[in-house]
Amino acid sequence: DTASPARRADAARAAPGFVRAALGAGLAPYGAEHHACVAGLLGDGDDGVRAAAAERLHEFARLAGPDVSLLLKPTAALLRDSSAAVAAATLPMLPATLSALSAGKSDARRDGELSDIAHALVALEGGPSNLAWRMQAGVA
């Protein structure tokens, strides 16, 4: 990427609005065009960009509609991120993200799909950050 991390972080913060506008205009479904951009922001090499995208994860999950399952692995990856700031940015809106990820699914399907995220949450307890307990308290 030639854009600075600060510009990419700004793009991550603004991305839900762009995706919402494109979906509203009927340009393309989420998975067809938008997920590659969102996944790039969620997996960016800079932890500030990943944290900025993680703060908007719940919005991406709501916008993804039937393609929401594409966000399962990135959500677990954010919770397992080597940067405590990224995991911490994911947690405040995690209930809204999980709600979008599990909407309209049977209990068995939901439990199966969310198991990787559940394991990532459990792993926060033993993670490298001494702030892990604070992050978990934010979800409680």
Side-chain angles (χ1 to χ4, degrees), residues 2-25:
T2 58
S4 71
R7 284 189 180 187
R8 292 194 317 271
D10 288 343
R13 288 183 198 96
F18 294 129
V19 172
R20 188 177 300 109
L23 291 172

Side-chain angles (χ1 to χ4, degrees), residues 3-4 26 39 44 47 59 74 82 91 112 120:
S4 71
D44 193 274
D47 58 350
E59 294 179 65
S82 61
L91 289 174

